[in-house]
């Protein structure tokens, strides 16, 4: 992997629901007073009831912080969390617990919390489009609380989590550091709440899948904590597949099916491809891993007539012109695609969810000035998490809730001069714990973490044949946050609920 500075743009892009330009210009949070007192723990506990699948579930919501310490007892950081536990459970072994987080790095957990899994969610249209600000919370009929307790974690510097006074933030901002401190939070929460006998799962989204894969291995090796399941929502494990660098052809191959899905959605494909989406994607996937991959591998050896043939095929599947594809050296980068597909209509398409469209002042530019999908899923969630934590959960905090913290420079120690690849950590975890189950959930319209990347990653895990059935893939007709679309949220709930029951034996 190259220096961290060269990875900064792509990492920022993977931020869940983050307006890219806004994140790049966001100021670093104010530094803590080094002479301030060590952080103290505070907790707000409230009780609620929700009906899921016709069953009334009484539960306790706990919003609070845990102070993480070193072996000498020195406070290192205060980590904010929200936990939901079902009331009336006498035996911890009867109740799974799932730890969930978003990505970034630098994103708080508000999207998986108030979008996907928690008992309350931000209201959207049925197709997942935004409603007028400031937004509204409703009961989440697709919450996972009927099958598992839930703990939403804000890693250090995100949400209300902060380093202890006098502590250097660098010890929390990095691939390895992030995994180790989130693992310490999980260990402490499990211990304090007497849940070592409970089945345990992780559910991470975007960079949170990178974190989850690392945690699966680290929790077992450091603490002997064996997980039952890992849910990877919109995953990025092998970063080679994400970086559009000269000489790296993998991203072009793995993004092609999502380009096709996007062109299908906006009706830019030839009539014979505008029928069944899955049938079209099957054809594109075959081309991508076959003729297209072979053509890119040949580089300048590719014969001119074959080059024109491949350009025509790529154009057929992307809605772009053959001339544009050929002049792009057969390699279409994300932002060129999101800018070019609807250029004739004066529109751009989203990156987190390509169903969304926007418009730019510079209609002839090469990159969109913002991601319309990201913008739509930012403000309403921010407004609602601030309202919900204080007014409904009773957690009083005057500091800003950092939904997108500036955590740069992010340390890539251990991955110098190579691409970050936590798929290998996941393989090791599954090999050493052969009961560990993994579920990848993928949105067809997600260009931040394209679904075909997950397919490729699963195909290249290198698992023993006896373990390959422990990995499952599920697909949805939405983007990075597939749960904003009601039909996909219902499917996601069923897929994950079935997965939790199968991986924990709690049917």
């Amino acid at each position: 992997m190259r220096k961290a500075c060269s990875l900064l743009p792509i990492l920022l892009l993977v931020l869940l629901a983050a307006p890219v330009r806004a994140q790049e210009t966001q100021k670093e949070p104010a530094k803590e007073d080094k002479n301030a007192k060590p952080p103290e723990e505070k907790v707000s506990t409230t009780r609620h009831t929700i009906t899921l699948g016709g069953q009334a579930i009484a539960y306790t919501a706990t919003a609070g912080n845990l102070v993480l310490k070193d072996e000498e007892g020195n406070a290192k950081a205060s980590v904010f969390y929200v936990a939901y536990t079902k009331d009336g459970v006498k035996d911890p072994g009867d109740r799974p617990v799932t730890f969930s987080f978003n990505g970034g790095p630098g994103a708080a957990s508000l999207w998986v919390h108030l979008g996907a899994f928690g008992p309350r969610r931000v209201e959207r249209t049925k197709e997942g489009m935004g409603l007028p600000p400031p937004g509204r919370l409703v009961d989440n009929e697709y919450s996972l609380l009927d099958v598992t307790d839930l703990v939403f974690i804000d890693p250090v510097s995100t949400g209300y989590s902060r380093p202890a006074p006098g502590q250097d933030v660098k010890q929390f901002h990095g691939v390895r550091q992030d995994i180790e401190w989130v693992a310490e939070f999980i260990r402490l929460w499990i211990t304090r709440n007497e849940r070592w006998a409970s089945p345990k799962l992780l559910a991470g989204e975007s960079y949170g899948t990178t974190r989850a894969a690392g945690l699966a291995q680290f929790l077992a090796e450091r603490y002997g904590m064996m997980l039952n399941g890992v849910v990877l929502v919109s995953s990025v494990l092998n970063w080679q597949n994400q970086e559009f660098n000269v000489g790296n052809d993998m991203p072009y191959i793995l993004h092609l099916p999502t380009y096709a899905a996007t062109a299908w959605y906006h009706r830019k494909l030839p009539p014979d491809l505008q029928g069944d989406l899955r049938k079209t994607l099957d054809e594109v996937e075959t081309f991508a891993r076959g003729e297209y991959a072979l053509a890119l591998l040949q580089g300048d050896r590719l014969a001119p007539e074959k080059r024109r043939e491949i350009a025509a095929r790529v154009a057929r599947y992307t809605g772009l012109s053959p001339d544009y594809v050929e002049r792009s050296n057969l390699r279409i980068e994300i932002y060129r695609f999101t800018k070019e597909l609807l250029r004739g209509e004066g529109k751009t398409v989203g990156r987190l969810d390509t169903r969304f469209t926007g418009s730019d002042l510079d209609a002839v530019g090469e990159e969109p000035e913002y991601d319309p999908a990201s913008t739509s899923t930012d403000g309403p969630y921010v407004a609602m998490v601030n309202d919900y934590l204080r007014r409904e959960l009773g957690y009083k905090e005057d500091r800003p809730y950092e939904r997108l913290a500036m955590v740069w420079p992010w340390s890539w120690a251990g991955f110098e001069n190579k691409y970050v690849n936590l798929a290998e950590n996941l393989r090791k975890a599954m090999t050493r714990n052969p009961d560990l189950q993994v579920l990848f959930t993928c949105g067809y319209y997600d260009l931040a973490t394209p679904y075909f990347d997950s397919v490729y990653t699963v195909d290249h895990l290198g698992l023993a044949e006896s373990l390959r059935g422990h990995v499952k893939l599920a697909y949805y007709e939405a983007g990075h946050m597939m749960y904003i679309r009601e039909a996909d949220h219902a499917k996601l709930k069923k897929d994950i609920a079935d997965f939790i029951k199968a991986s924990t034996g709690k049917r």
Side-chain angles (χ1 to χ4, degrees), residues 174-447:
V175 178
R176 175 184 55 79
Q177 298 93 321
D178 174 72
I179 289 170
E180 291 180 359
W181 284 109
V182 173
E184 171 59 11
F185 171 89
I186 292 173
R187 181 203 66 81
L188 185 59
W189 191 93
I190 287 287
T191 300
R192 292 267 191 94
N193 290 274
E194 301 179 343
R195 299 299 296 270
W196 276 93
S198 297
K200 305 167 194 67
L201 302 97
L202 303 176
E205 180 176 314
S206 199
Y207 184 87
T209 64
T210 306
R211 177 186 296 127
L215 282 169
Q217 180 189 18
F218 185 82
L219 284 167
E221 292 187 353
R222 174 64 181 88
Y223 301 122
M225 185 182 295
M226 308 295 272
L227 300 175
N228 295 80
V230 176
V231 178
L232 303 175
V233 180
S234 303
S235 68
V236 49
L237 300 188
N238 184 347
W239 286 73
Q240 179 181 359
N241 302 338
Q242 298 287 329
E243 296 218 47
F244 290 85
N245 298 323
V246 174
N248 179 30
D249 287 331
M250 287 309 305
Y252 304 101
I253 297 167
L254 299 180
H255 284 68
L256 186 65
T258 301
Y259 294 161
T262 304
W264 182 93
Y265 180 84
H266 294 286
R267 304 200 65 79
K268 295 298 180 181
L269 295 181
D272 63 307
L273 295 177
Q274 282 293 165
D276 181 77
L277 174 61
R278 186 59 255 181
K279 181 180 178 181
T280 294
L281 292 179
D282 288 341
E283 179 178 328
V284 178
E285 290 175 17
T286 299
F287 171 72
R289 62 163 62 97
E291 291 182 76
Y292 185 50
L294 181 59
L296 298 189
L297 180 64
Q298 292 182 67
D300 294 341
R301 289 179 176 270
L302 190 65
E305 61 275 13
K306 187 65 175 178
R307 179 185 177 87
R308 287 191 291 272
E309 177 188 331
I310 294 297
R313 291 284 298 279
V314 172
R316 168 177 162 80
Y317 295 139
T318 61
L320 307 179
S321 72
D323 178 66
Y324 186 89
V325 173
E326 193 161 1
R327 286 188 292 110
S328 299
N329 196 26
L330 307 181
R331 295 161 174 84
I332 310 298
E333 188 269 341
I334 282 180
Y335 280 141
R336 286 189 168 183
F337 177 81
T338 60
K339 187 76 172 181
E340 184 68 17
L341 180 67
L342 301 181
R343 189 188 294 274
E345 302 172 25
K347 298 178 181 179
T348 61
V349 299
R351 180 175 177 276
L352 290 178
D353 192 323
T354 60
R355 299 175 304 145
F356 288 74
T357 60
S359 61
D360 297 340
L361 176 64
D362 181 7
V364 298
E366 286 299 300
E367 294 187 3
E369 60 186 58
Y370 73 104
D371 180 352
S374 174
T375 301
S376 176
T377 51
D378 185 34
Y381 287 86
V382 175
M384 290 303 97
V385 76
N386 278 280
D387 178 72
Y388 176 65
L389 292 178
R390 195 175 189 97
R391 192 163 59 85
E392 291 193 31
L393 298 191
Y395 191 85
K396 311 297 183 182
E397 176 57 69
D398 291 339
R399 290 181 297 182
Y401 184 87
E402 298 288 355
R403 96 278 192 200
L404 298 170
M406 180 55 73
V407 296
W408 309 104
W410 190 257
S411 172
W412 304 98
F415 294 95
E416 295 89 347
N417 299 314
K418 61 181 178 180
Y419 290 106
V420 174
N421 185 4
L422 274 295
E424 174 61 9
N425 299 64
L426 184 63
R427 182 199 66 80
K428 290 179 179 178
M430 296 184 70
T431 300
R432 290 156 177 73
N433 174 12
D435 293 313
L436 178 60
Q437 308 275 326
V438 179
L439 173 65
F440 288 76
T441 69
C442 319
Y444 285 142
Y445 303 116
D446 177 11
L447 273 178

